[in-house]
Amino acid sequence: MKLTWHTTELELAEPLRISRSVMARRDAVWVCLEQGGLSGWGEAVSSDYLGLPAERITRHLAAVRPHLERLPDPETAWEEPAAAGLPDLPAGVRAAVESAVLDLVGKQAGQPAHRLLGTRTAPAVATARTIGIVAPVPAAAQAARLAVHGFTVLKIKAGSPDSAEDLARVEAVRTGAPEASLLLDPNGAWTERESHDLLPRFAALGVTAVEQPIAPGDPDALARVAKESPIPVIADEDAVSYEDAAALAGLVHGVNVKLAKCGGVRTALRIHDALRGSGTELMLGCLTASSLGIAPAVHLADRARWVDLDGHLLLADDPWTGIGGTDGTVRPSGRAGLGVSRTERENAP
Protein backbone atom coordinates (compact mmCIF):
# COMPACT_ATOMS: atom_id res chain seq x y z
CA MET A 1 0.00 0.00 0.00
CA LYS A 2 1.04 3.59 -0.55
CA LEU A 3 0.09 6.54 1.69
CA THR A 4 0.15 10.12 0.39
CA TRP A 5 -1.51 13.38 1.39
CA HIS A 6 -2.32 16.83 0.09
CA THR A 7 -3.08 20.05 1.97
CA THR A 8 -5.74 22.45 0.71
CA GLU A 9 -7.89 25.28 2.07
CA LEU A 10 -11.62 25.19 2.69
CA GLU A 11 -13.38 28.55 2.62
CA LEU A 12 -16.75 29.10 4.25
CA ALA A 13 -19.59 30.71 2.34
CA GLU A 14 -19.72 33.27 5.16
CA PRO A 15 -17.83 33.56 8.45
CA LEU A 16 -19.30 31.45 11.25
CA ARG A 17 -19.42 33.18 14.61
CA ILE A 18 -19.74 31.14 17.78
CA SER A 19 -19.28 32.18 21.40
CA ARG A 20 -15.52 31.67 21.44
CA SER A 21 -14.40 32.49 17.88
CA VAL A 22 -15.15 33.44 14.30
CA MET A 23 -14.06 31.14 11.47
CA ALA A 24 -13.90 32.00 7.76
CA ARG A 25 -11.64 29.21 6.47
CA ARG A 26 -9.58 26.25 7.60
CA ASP A 27 -6.92 23.95 6.21
CA ALA A 28 -7.77 20.39 5.22
CA VAL A 29 -5.36 17.52 4.65
CA TRP A 30 -6.60 14.86 2.24
CA VAL A 31 -5.20 11.42 2.99
CA CYS A 32 -4.94 8.87 0.17
CA LEU A 33 -4.24 5.15 0.64
CA GLU A 34 -3.62 3.28 -2.61
CA GLN A 35 -3.43 -0.37 -3.57
CA GLY A 36 -4.18 -2.31 -6.75
CA GLY A 37 -5.31 0.72 -8.71
CA LEU A 38 -7.87 1.77 -6.08
CA SER A 39 -7.66 4.72 -3.70
CA GLY A 40 -9.18 5.20 -0.27
CA TRP A 41 -9.62 8.73 1.03
CA GLY A 42 -9.91 10.54 4.32
CA GLU A 43 -9.78 14.15 5.50
CA ALA A 44 -8.29 15.78 8.58
CA VAL A 45 -9.15 19.44 9.13
CA SER A 46 -7.03 21.84 11.13
CA SER A 47 -8.38 23.08 14.44
CA ASP A 48 -6.93 25.72 16.74
CA TYR A 49 -9.29 24.63 19.51
CA LEU A 50 -8.08 21.02 19.29
CA GLY A 51 -4.44 22.05 18.86
CA LEU A 52 -4.19 20.46 15.43
CA PRO A 53 -2.64 22.74 12.78
CA ALA A 54 -2.04 21.35 9.30
CA GLU A 55 1.69 21.06 9.97
CA ARG A 56 1.09 18.74 12.91
CA ILE A 57 -1.31 16.63 10.85
CA THR A 58 1.24 16.08 8.09
CA ARG A 59 4.00 15.38 10.61
CA HIS A 60 1.95 12.54 12.10
CA LEU A 61 1.08 11.20 8.68
CA ALA A 62 4.76 11.01 7.84
CA ALA A 63 5.37 9.09 11.07
CA VAL A 64 2.59 6.55 10.46
CA ARG A 65 3.34 5.98 6.78
CA PRO A 66 5.97 3.23 7.32
CA HIS A 67 3.57 1.27 9.55
CA LEU A 68 0.79 1.36 6.97
CA GLU A 69 2.93 0.73 3.93
CA ARG A 70 4.45 -2.45 5.31
CA LEU A 71 1.01 -4.04 5.82
CA PRO A 72 -0.20 -6.36 3.03
CA ASP A 73 -3.68 -4.88 2.57
CA PRO A 74 -6.21 -2.41 4.01
CA GLU A 75 -8.16 -5.24 5.65
CA THR A 76 -5.18 -5.87 7.93
CA ALA A 77 -5.01 -2.17 8.78
CA TRP A 78 -8.73 -2.21 9.61
CA GLU A 79 -8.61 -5.36 11.73
CA GLU A 80 -5.27 -4.57 13.41
CA PRO A 81 -5.15 -0.80 14.02
CA ALA A 82 -2.19 -1.17 16.37
CA ALA A 83 -0.13 -2.75 13.59
CA ALA A 84 -1.03 0.23 11.41
CA GLY A 85 0.17 2.65 14.09
CA LEU A 86 -3.26 4.24 14.47
CA PRO A 87 -3.48 4.33 18.30
CA ASP A 88 -0.47 6.68 18.41
CA LEU A 89 -2.10 9.34 16.25
CA PRO A 90 -4.04 12.39 17.46
CA ALA A 91 -7.78 11.75 17.18
CA GLY A 92 -8.33 13.90 14.09
CA VAL A 93 -5.47 12.29 12.19
CA ARG A 94 -6.48 8.80 13.33
CA ALA A 95 -10.03 9.41 12.08
CA ALA A 96 -8.75 10.54 8.67
CA VAL A 97 -6.43 7.56 8.21
CA GLU A 98 -9.13 5.17 9.41
CA SER A 99 -11.49 6.78 6.89
CA ALA A 100 -9.04 6.11 4.06
CA VAL A 101 -8.65 2.50 5.21
CA LEU A 102 -12.43 1.99 5.40
CA ASP A 103 -12.93 3.60 2.00
CA LEU A 104 -10.32 1.34 0.39
CA VAL A 105 -11.65 -1.81 2.09
CA GLY A 106 -15.13 -0.99 0.83
CA LYS A 107 -13.95 -0.32 -2.70
CA GLN A 108 -11.98 -3.56 -2.83
CA ALA A 109 -15.01 -5.48 -1.52
CA GLY A 110 -17.48 -3.60 -3.72
CA GLN A 111 -19.50 -2.66 -0.62
CA PRO A 112 -20.57 0.71 0.78
CA ALA A 113 -19.09 1.55 4.17
CA HIS A 114 -22.36 1.31 6.08
CA ARG A 115 -22.63 -2.40 5.21
CA LEU A 116 -19.12 -3.02 6.47
CA LEU A 117 -20.18 -1.27 9.70
CA GLY A 118 -23.26 -3.47 10.16
CA THR A 119 -26.14 -1.61 8.49
CA ARG A 120 -27.63 -3.12 5.35
CA THR A 121 -29.83 -0.18 4.39
CA ALA A 122 -28.15 3.14 3.62
CA PRO A 123 -28.97 5.73 6.31
CA ALA A 124 -31.02 8.72 5.20
CA VAL A 125 -31.57 11.15 8.09
CA ALA A 126 -32.46 14.78 8.65
CA THR A 127 -29.44 16.88 9.59
CA ALA A 128 -29.43 20.05 11.60
CA ARG A 129 -28.26 23.18 9.79
CA THR A 130 -26.27 25.70 11.81
CA ILE A 131 -27.14 29.38 12.14
CA GLY A 132 -24.28 31.33 13.69
CA ILE A 133 -24.36 34.28 16.06
CA VAL A 134 -25.99 36.88 13.84
CA ALA A 135 -28.62 39.59 14.32
CA PRO A 136 -32.29 38.53 14.49
CA VAL A 137 -33.33 39.80 11.04
CA PRO A 138 -30.70 37.85 9.06
CA ALA A 139 -31.25 34.84 11.34
CA ALA A 140 -34.96 34.85 10.48
CA ALA A 141 -34.24 35.21 6.79
CA GLN A 142 -31.73 32.38 6.85
CA ALA A 143 -34.14 30.15 8.75
CA ALA A 144 -36.90 30.83 6.23
CA ARG A 145 -34.61 29.99 3.29
CA LEU A 146 -33.47 26.77 4.92
CA ALA A 147 -37.04 25.71 5.67
CA VAL A 148 -38.00 26.26 2.03
CA HIS A 149 -35.11 24.01 0.98
CA GLY A 150 -36.32 21.19 3.24
CA PHE A 151 -34.45 21.63 6.52
CA THR A 152 -36.57 20.52 9.46
CA VAL A 153 -33.87 20.87 12.16
CA LEU A 154 -31.99 24.12 12.80
CA LYS A 155 -29.14 24.59 15.27
CA ILE A 156 -28.72 28.10 16.63
CA LYS A 157 -25.43 29.27 18.09
CA ALA A 158 -25.68 31.17 21.37
CA GLY A 159 -23.36 32.66 23.96
CA SER A 160 -23.58 36.38 23.17
CA PRO A 161 -22.38 38.65 26.01
CA ASP A 162 -26.00 39.74 26.41
CA SER A 163 -28.34 36.76 26.66
CA ALA A 164 -31.17 38.95 25.37
CA GLU A 165 -29.48 38.82 21.97
CA ASP A 166 -29.56 35.01 22.01
CA LEU A 167 -33.21 34.99 23.01
CA ALA A 168 -34.05 37.43 20.21
CA ARG A 169 -32.15 35.31 17.68
CA VAL A 170 -34.00 32.14 18.69
CA GLU A 171 -37.33 33.94 18.56
CA ALA A 172 -36.47 35.23 15.09
CA VAL A 173 -35.53 31.76 13.86
CA ARG A 174 -38.78 30.40 15.26
CA THR A 175 -40.66 33.09 13.32
CA GLY A 176 -38.74 32.34 10.12
CA ALA A 177 -39.16 28.57 10.38
CA PRO A 178 -42.14 27.91 12.66
CA GLU A 179 -42.25 24.16 11.97
CA ALA A 180 -38.55 23.46 12.48
CA SER A 181 -37.11 21.62 15.46
CA LEU A 182 -34.60 23.92 17.19
CA LEU A 183 -31.31 22.97 18.84
CA LEU A 184 -29.25 25.48 20.82
CA ASP A 185 -25.46 25.56 21.17
CA PRO A 186 -23.75 28.09 23.48
CA ASN A 187 -20.40 26.26 23.15
CA GLY A 188 -19.90 26.36 26.90
CA ALA A 189 -20.47 30.11 27.27
CA TRP A 190 -22.78 30.07 30.32
CA THR A 191 -22.27 29.49 34.00
CA GLU A 192 -24.23 26.84 35.82
CA ARG A 193 -26.51 29.49 37.32
CA GLU A 194 -27.09 31.14 33.95
CA SER A 195 -28.03 27.78 32.50
CA HIS A 196 -30.64 27.19 35.18
CA ASP A 197 -32.07 30.66 34.53
CA LEU A 198 -31.97 30.64 30.74
CA LEU A 199 -32.94 27.14 29.69
CA PRO A 200 -36.62 27.45 30.71
CA ARG A 201 -36.81 30.68 28.68
CA PHE A 202 -35.35 29.00 25.61
CA ALA A 203 -37.63 26.00 26.10
CA ALA A 204 -40.60 28.38 26.05
CA LEU A 205 -39.43 29.57 22.61
CA GLY A 206 -39.49 26.02 21.27
CA VAL A 207 -35.87 24.89 21.71
CA THR A 208 -35.87 21.08 21.97
CA ALA A 209 -32.29 20.40 23.17
CA VAL A 210 -29.14 22.25 24.16
CA GLU A 211 -25.47 21.36 23.61
CA GLN A 212 -22.80 22.07 26.23
CA PRO A 213 -24.37 25.04 28.02
CA ILE A 214 -21.47 25.42 30.51
CA ALA A 215 -17.71 25.47 30.09
CA PRO A 216 -16.12 22.01 29.84
CA GLY A 217 -14.16 20.56 32.72
CA ASP A 218 -16.86 20.11 35.37
CA PRO A 219 -19.01 17.10 34.41
CA ASP A 220 -20.70 17.12 37.81
CA ALA A 221 -21.97 20.64 37.16
CA LEU A 222 -23.11 19.60 33.68
CA ALA A 223 -25.00 16.70 35.25
CA ARG A 224 -26.71 19.09 37.65
CA VAL A 225 -27.76 21.32 34.77
CA ALA A 226 -29.10 18.29 32.90
CA LYS A 227 -31.07 17.13 35.94
CA GLU A 228 -32.88 20.46 36.28
CA SER A 229 -33.21 21.33 32.58
CA PRO A 230 -36.65 21.31 30.94
CA ILE A 231 -34.99 20.17 27.68
CA PRO A 232 -32.35 17.51 26.93
CA VAL A 233 -28.75 18.52 27.66
CA ILE A 234 -26.11 17.13 25.29
CA ALA A 235 -22.43 17.09 26.25
CA ASP A 236 -20.06 18.22 23.51
CA GLU A 237 -16.77 19.76 24.62
CA ASP A 238 -17.00 17.55 27.75
CA ALA A 239 -17.36 14.41 25.60
CA VAL A 240 -14.16 14.23 23.58
CA SER A 241 -12.97 10.64 24.05
CA TYR A 242 -14.56 7.26 24.60
CA GLU A 243 -13.67 7.54 28.29
CA ASP A 244 -15.36 10.96 28.53
CA ALA A 245 -18.55 9.71 26.90
CA ALA A 246 -18.70 6.52 28.95
CA ALA A 247 -18.27 8.51 32.18
CA LEU A 248 -21.23 10.73 31.24
CA ALA A 249 -23.58 7.83 30.49
CA GLY A 250 -26.71 8.27 32.57
CA LEU A 251 -25.74 11.77 33.72
CA VAL A 252 -26.74 13.79 30.65
CA HIS A 253 -29.36 13.24 27.99
CA GLY A 254 -26.91 12.96 25.10
CA VAL A 255 -23.30 13.10 24.00
CA ASN A 256 -22.18 14.73 20.78
CA VAL A 257 -19.72 12.38 19.09
CA LYS A 258 -17.50 13.95 16.45
CA LEU A 259 -15.19 11.55 14.67
CA ALA A 260 -12.41 14.15 14.57
CA LYS A 261 -12.58 14.36 18.38
CA CYS A 262 -13.02 10.71 19.34
CA GLY A 263 -10.75 9.18 16.68
CA GLY A 264 -13.04 7.68 14.05
CA VAL A 265 -15.95 5.36 13.34
CA ARG A 266 -14.67 2.44 15.41
CA THR A 267 -14.54 4.57 18.56
CA ALA A 268 -17.94 6.10 17.74
CA LEU A 269 -19.41 2.60 17.59
CA ARG A 270 -17.83 1.76 20.95
CA ILE A 271 -19.40 4.89 22.43
CA HIS A 272 -22.77 3.94 20.97
CA ASP A 273 -22.50 0.54 22.66
CA ALA A 274 -21.38 2.08 25.96
CA LEU A 275 -24.43 4.37 26.04
CA ARG A 276 -26.93 1.62 25.33
CA GLY A 277 -29.53 1.39 28.07
CA SER A 278 -28.07 4.27 30.10
CA GLY A 279 -30.67 6.88 29.17
CA THR A 280 -27.98 8.89 27.37
CA GLU A 281 -28.39 8.99 23.61
CA LEU A 282 -26.01 9.61 20.74
CA MET A 283 -25.65 12.79 18.74
CA LEU A 284 -23.42 12.75 15.67
CA GLY A 285 -21.71 16.08 15.02
CA CYS A 286 -18.84 17.31 12.90
CA LEU A 287 -16.32 20.03 12.33
CA THR A 288 -16.58 22.27 9.30
CA ALA A 289 -15.21 20.00 6.60
CA SER A 290 -15.83 18.82 3.05
CA SER A 291 -18.16 15.96 2.10
CA LEU A 292 -15.11 13.70 2.31
CA GLY A 293 -14.59 14.60 5.97
CA ILE A 294 -18.28 14.24 6.86
CA ALA A 295 -18.90 10.99 4.93
CA PRO A 296 -17.78 8.41 7.54
CA ALA A 297 -20.26 9.80 10.08
CA VAL A 298 -23.08 9.72 7.52
CA HIS A 299 -22.63 5.95 7.30
CA LEU A 300 -23.34 5.81 11.08
CA ALA A 301 -26.20 8.29 11.12
CA ASP A 302 -28.98 5.75 11.70
CA ARG A 303 -27.59 5.12 15.18
CA ALA A 304 -28.05 8.70 16.42
CA ARG A 305 -31.04 10.50 17.94
CA TRP A 306 -29.65 13.89 16.88
CA VAL A 307 -27.67 14.41 13.67
CA ASP A 308 -25.67 17.56 12.96
CA LEU A 309 -23.66 16.72 9.84
CA ASP A 310 -23.77 20.00 7.97
CA GLY A 311 -20.08 21.00 7.90
CA HIS A 312 -19.88 20.59 4.13
CA LEU A 313 -22.97 22.76 3.67
CA LEU A 314 -21.20 25.73 5.25
CA LEU A 315 -18.52 25.84 2.55
CA ALA A 316 -18.41 28.27 -0.33
CA ASP A 317 -17.47 25.43 -2.68
CA ASP A 318 -17.41 21.82 -1.50
CA PRO A 319 -14.60 20.02 -3.38
CA TRP A 320 -16.23 16.60 -2.81
CA THR A 321 -19.73 15.24 -3.35
CA GLY A 322 -21.69 12.13 -2.43
CA ILE A 323 -23.51 12.59 0.90
CA GLY A 324 -26.34 14.94 -0.04
CA GLY A 325 -27.59 17.37 2.59
CA THR A 326 -28.71 20.34 0.49
CA ASP A 327 -32.35 19.27 0.97
CA GLY A 328 -31.92 18.77 4.71
CA THR A 329 -31.22 15.04 4.50
CA VAL A 330 -27.79 13.39 4.45
CA ARG A 331 -27.46 10.01 2.76
CA PRO A 332 -24.61 7.96 1.25
CA SER A 333 -24.49 7.73 -2.52
CA GLY A 334 -24.66 3.93 -2.57
CA ARG A 335 -21.28 3.56 -4.23
CA ALA A 336 -18.59 1.36 -2.73
CA GLY A 337 -16.54 2.65 0.18
CA LEU A 338 -17.47 6.08 1.47
CA GLY A 339 -19.25 6.79 -1.81
CA VAL A 340 -17.73 10.24 -2.31
CA SER A 341 -15.97 11.65 -5.35
CA ARG A 342 -14.19 14.85 -6.32
CA THR A 343 -16.30 17.53 -7.95
CA GLU A 344 -15.78 18.45 -11.59
CA ARG A 345 -14.00 21.63 -10.52
CA GLU A 346 -11.52 19.62 -8.45
CA ASN A 347 -11.01 17.12 -11.28
CA ALA A 348 -10.36 19.85 -13.82
CA PRO A 349 -6.74 20.21 -14.99
Side-chain angles (χ1 to χ4, degrees):
M1 294 190 295
K2 179 182 178 182
L3 181 70
T4 57
W5 53 87
H6 168 70
T7 302
T8 189
E9 186 177 81
L10 303 176
E11 184 173 354
L12 277 67
E14 58 184 51
L16 177 65
R17 180 182 296 275
I18 66 174
S19 61
R20 62 173 180 256
S21 64
V22 179
M23 183 177 62
R25 61 186 56 82
R26 74 186 334 155
D27 291 328
V29 180
W30 293 339
V31 180
C32 181
L33 188 63
E34 300 173 84
Q35 187 181 56
L38 296 174
S39 299
W41 293 88
E43 179 179 83
V45 292
S46 63
S47 170
D48 292 338
Y49 182 76
L50 296 175
L52 199 62
E55 295 79 10
R56 185 177 177 220
I57 295 171
T58 58
R59 188 164 63 247
H60 280 284
L61 290 172
V64 80
R65 176 159 55 188
H67 299 277
L68 276 165
E69 292 189 343
R70 68 171 171 242
L71 297 180
D73 49 50
E75 290 81 5
T76 302
W78 179 255
E79 296 297 335
E80 302 177 26
L86 299 191
D88 298 327
L89 298 174
V93 185
R94 184 164 74 249
V97 175
E98 184 190 75
S99 169
V101 171
L102 177 62
D103 191 29
L104 186 54
V105 170
K107 287 174 178 175
Q108 291 190 346
Q111 295 286 331
H114 62 84
R115 290 190 180 177
L116 301 178
L117 298 173
T119 302
R120 286 198 56 81
T121 304
V125 299
T127 179
R129 177 64 159 79
T130 301
I131 296 176
I133 295 179
V134 296
V137 171
Q142 186 176 358
R145 288 195 302 271
L146 291 170
V148 166
H149 283 93
F151 286 87
T152 58
V153 184
L154 300 177
K155 184 167 91 167
I156 308 159
K157 291 293 186 178
S160 302
D162 183 352
S163 60
E165 296 178 10
D166 293 334
L167 290 160
R169 184 179 314 107
V170 170
E171 188 171 10
V173 169
R174 168 55 68 217
T175 299
E179 302 301 319
S181 176
L182 304 184
L183 308 178
L184 190 69
D185 187 7
N187 288 107
W190 300 338
T191 65
E192 182 178 351
R193 177 173 300 221
E194 287 172 330
S195 298
H196 289 306
D197 291 342
L198 288 170
L199 287 177
R201 300 175 68 183
F202 283 107
L205 292 174
V207 170
T208 60
V210 61
E211 290 181 56
Q212 196 69 42
I214 65 172
D218 191 347
D220 291 336
L222 187 65
R224 290 193 296 269
V225 171
K227 184 177 181 180
E228 299 298 326
S229 175
I231 57 176
V233 171
I234 304 165
D236 184 355
E237 286 87 346
D238 265 325
V240 175
S241 65
Y242 168 83
E243 291 76 15
D244 293 337
L248 287 166
L251 299 179
V252 293
H253 303 93
V255 293
N256 186 355
V257 172
K258 297 175 181 175
L259 303 190
K261 291 194 312 179
C262 76
V265 294
R266 298 175 71 107
T267 303
L269 289 172
R270 289 182 62 214
I271 292 172
H272 178 258
D273 290 343
L275 298 181
R276 198 188 308 273
S278 70
T280 299
E281 298 185 84
L282 185 70
M283 178 177 186
L284 278 174
C286 63
L287 303 183
T288 303
S290 76
S291 288
L292 171 61
I294 308 297
V298 172
H299 286 273
L300 301 176
D302 58 315
R303 293 167 168 86
R305 175 179 173 182
W306 301 277
V307 173
D308 179 26
L309 299 177
D310 69 336
H312 60 306
L313 303 176
L314 304 180
L315 300 179
D317 192 2
D318 187 355
W320 293 79
T321 186
I323 59 171
T326 56
D327 61 351
T329 299
V330 289
R331 55 178 74 80
S333 67
R335 296 190 296 271
L338 296 178
V340 297
S341 58
R342 300 279 284 273
T343 62
E344 291 184 7
R345 179 186 66 83
E346 286 296 322
N347 283 321

